[in-house]
Structures are given as structure tokens and as C-alpha cells.
Amino acid sequence: MGTLLARVAVVALAAAAAAVVVDGQMSPAFYDATCPALQSVVRRGMAQAVQKEARMGASILRLFFHDCFVNGCDASVLLDDTANFTGEKNAGPNANSLRGYEVIDAIKAQVEASCKATVSCADIVALAARDAVSLLGGPSWTVQLGRRDGRSASQNAANTNLPPPDARLADLLTRFSDKGLDARALTALSGAHTVGWARCTTFRTHIYNDTGNAAVDAAFATQIRAKACPSAGGDGNLAPLELRAPAAFDNGYFQDLVARRVLLRSDQELYGSGVGDGSTDALVRAYAANATLFAVDFAAAMVRMGNLALTGKNGEVRLNCRRVN
Ligand code: HEM
């Protein structure tokens, strides 16, 4: 009996060890010994930020995407421009749009107070994005840790790697497959647009001009034009990416795609564009009908996107997320 129990324990230990190794370097237990309070500190910081402003959950989720798609999830997006350093904050997709830098600063300060020079900004963003989704009512997942912070940034890569709001399906598929993310990951991750807001300038052409396979539901277009987006002016006016519940992480976005009631052309491209093999259309229908399937696939895709990381001895652990050490 004792031998059997011992054998079961060994098997369980071996399974646990195998489960925590990703890319040979990352592990959910990475800071267990060096910063045991990390996950609760990040969670508390995010809970406060989301309670103050629900949109901040969406903003932090987007911050993670914009970090990971430019040279990996290395917190390069957090680096400030200086007289002799050009960061990513003023790249087209980020300028006057990306938000949440102060929230990450505040969490990093809390983490530094208990675990000095130990936890990377990149890992803080990865944990904060996970917490953002669950605080808004979405799924949760185990975050692999051990990312290192980049010592450089690339405004050019931010401009070229991040998809524009009028991107067509083939372009979206290519940009995601360039990062090792397939049509399923693209479709699931786009479901992030179930939360958050967009500026009129990003969706004006779609709600005024798109026709045929990219047409918008007429009543929806009339409503958004009148409420948030005149044909000229009001570029910065905001509208919720998902009209009914912009602060609830649910599968409403996919139902809106089927009904052609979304703001961004890039989103509508996933459903009914009439090009490609129809795989994104089938996924949109499946996620619209099954919230659990969406939640599971979204969590898995976030882990995959989060694994685009600098690890080992590359980069550094930044002391201040806004500048290299
Ligand atoms: C597939 C290609 C994508 C395109 C073309 C795209 C484009 C955009 C645009 C244009 C906005 C509005 C920005 C503004 O007006 O300031 C936006 C907002 C947002 N995006 Fe995406 N996005 C994409 C994928 C993603 C992914 C993969 C995520 C996360 C996993 C994400 C998360 C968000 C969130 C949460 C917001 C709202 C942010 C806020 O309210 O502050 N997006 N996106």
C-alpha cells in the first residue's frame, strides 16, 4: 500500500513538473520562492482600477495584445520616448488610443515594494490582462511566468505588425500566423472586442460606406451615426465595441458579428466576408451559440499569445517600466 502511494506521488510530481515547463524557461511557479505575493498584489491593483473605471479592464487587455505583437510580450510598449529613444507609444495604433500605463506603474510600484528587482514588467502586464478579463466576468487561466523585459522598442514594428481597423481577412490571418496564431486563435482573440470602446475615426468608413459582404445592419448604422460618429468631425467620440454590455466579457460580440452590428471592418471580416475557406465564419457561429466554447478557446489563445516572450538571460528585469535600467 505504502509503495503504491509512493508511486502515485512520484507520478503526480512528475506530471506537475512537466506541466509547468513551457519553452523550457517559463513556469506558473516562476516567482513562487522569490515573490509569493505577486499574484495577489496584481489582482488587488487590477480590482481597484476596474472598480474605478470598468473600461480600464479592456484597456489593459489591449495593452497586452499591443505588447505581445511587437517583438513579443517584453513590455517594450511601456517604454517612454526620450530625446534619444523612440518607443512604441506614439506609433499609429497606440497614439491617443492605448491606455493603462499608469495602472501598470502603480502595480509595479507595489510589487517592487515587496519584491525588489525581481518581477518583470512583461509578467505584470500578462497577469494584469488575465485579471482584467476575469474581473469583467470572463474566463481565467494559469499564466506562464518568467518573461524578461526588452531593452529596446520598435515604433516601426508597432506600425507594421499591429493590424489596422480596416484590415481584410487575408491580412488578419497572415498577421496572426506570423505570430504562430491560427484562424481559431485570431477569431477567439478578436472576441476581446466584447469589451471596451473605439473612437469614431476608427469605424467611420465602416458604418457609412461599407456595402456588400462588409455591409452594416441599417438600424445599427443609423443609431451609431447619430449617437457617436458624424460624417465629419467628432473623430475622438467613443462608442462601445459591443453595444449591449461593453463592460461584460461575454460572447455577445459574436452574436453582433452574425447580425452585422459591429463597429470595426476588421471584426466584420471574420464573418460573412465571402473569402477564404469559411473557417472563421464557422467559429463565429460556434462562439455565438456557445459561451463556454468561446471562454475556453479565448483562454487558450491568450496563453499562446503570451508565450511570445523573451526568457532566460535575454533582456532584463526593469526597475521602472517606463525606461530601461
Ligand atoms: C484582430 C485585429 C484587431 C484589430 C484590427 C483591432 C483594432 C482595434 C481598434 C481600432 C480599437 C479601438 C481603438 C481606439 O479607437 O482608440 C480596438 C480596441 C480594443 N481592442 Fe482591438 N484590435 C484587434 C485585435 C485585438 C485583440 C487580439 C485584443 C486582445 C486580445 C484586442 C483588444 C481590444 C480591446 C479590449 C479594445 C478596447 C480598449 C479600450 O476600451 O481602451 N484587440 N481594437
Side-chain angles (χ1 to χ4, degrees):
M1 185 66 179
T3 327
L4 180 62
L5 269 182
R7 212 178 303 142
V8 169
V10 168
V11 172
L13 272 177
V20 296
V21 176
V22 165
D23 299 332
Q25 317 243 23
M26 285 165 63
S27 150
F30 193 84
Y31 299 107
D32 278 8
T34 53
C35 193
L38 173 62
Q39 305 227 9
S40 55
V41 170
V42 176
R43 177 83 187 185
R44 201 176 329 118
M46 282 307 298
Q48 280 165 1
V50 170
Q51 194 185 28
K52 199 164 148 209
E53 185 205 14
R55 184 186 175 196
M56 192 50 76
S59 302
I60 295 292
L61 173 56
R62 184 172 186 235
L63 187 65
F64 183 55
F65 167 52
H66 283 214
D67 185 27
C68 295
F69 258 55
V70 183
N71 302 334
C73 320
D74 65 346
S76 57
V77 71
L78 302 179
L79 292 170
D80 280 343
D81 284 10
T82 67
N84 43 24
F85 182 88
T86 304
E88 294 161 17
K89 289 183 175 173
N90 288 310
N94 295 338
N96 303 314
S97 176
L98 205 60
R99 316 169 68 239
Y101 305 119
E102 296 77 10
V103 170
I104 300 299
D105 287 340
I107 295 174
K108 171 70 169 170
Q110 294 267 310
V111 172
E112 285 295 305
S114 43
C115 319
K116 201 156 178 44
T118 303
V119 181
S120 66
C121 298
D123 278 340
I124 289 174
V125 175
L127 287 168
R130 185 270 311 268
D131 290 344
V133 171
S134 73
L135 285 161
L136 296 175
S140 190
W141 56 90
T142 301
V143 178
Q144 295 290 338
L145 297 167
R147 293 171 192 78
R148 304 272 292 175
D149 295 326
R151 293 183 47 80
S152 61
S154 174
Q155 189 175 99
N156 186 46
N159 281 322
T160 52
N161 293 5
L162 293 167
D166 64 348
R168 302 300 193 258
L169 181 58
D171 182 17
L172 292 168
L173 287 165
T174 306
R175 285 171 197 264
F176 276 66
S177 80
D178 284 350
K179 305 290 177 195
L181 299 167
D182 58 11
R184 196 173 188 105
L186 162 67
T187 311
L189 287 171
S190 297
H193 290 168
T194 185
V195 291
W197 301 69
R199 290 162 305 146
C200 166
T201 185
T202 67
F203 59 80
R204 177 182 285 117
T205 306
H206 183 48
I207 59 160
Y208 279 91
N209 301 339
D210 282 341
T211 54
N213 287 337
V216 183
D217 170 71
F220 175 75
T222 305
Q223 185 185 0
I224 296 294
R225 288 174 192 173
K227 262 198 184 161
C229 199
S231 58
D235 283 9
N237 293 359
L238 292 171
L241 283 158
E242 195 228 274
L243 215 49
R244 281 159 299 178
F249 198 100
D250 55 22
N251 65 337
Y253 160 86
F254 295 101
Q255 293 157 4
D256 287 352
L257 285 180
V258 174
R260 295 188 168 275
R261 293 165 58 86
V262 292
L263 298 180
L264 303 182
R265 169 68 184 263
S266 54
D267 284 332
Q268 194 59 62
E269 284 287 309
L270 299 173
Y271 186 83
S273 67
V275 299
D277 62 4
S279 59
T280 62
D281 298 69
L283 285 162
V284 167
R285 272 193 297 268
Y287 295 151
N290 186 339
T292 306
L293 180 67
F294 165 54
V296 168
D297 278 10
F298 182 81
M302 285 291 282
V303 172
R304 280 174 67 190
M305 184 168 77
N307 286 344
L308 302 165
L310 273 186
T311 54
K313 293 197 179 345
N314 297 311
E316 63 183 15
V317 171
R318 242 177 257 155
L319 298 176
N320 176 335
C321 294
R322 291 175 181 267
R323 49 180 176 267
V324 296
N325 291 342

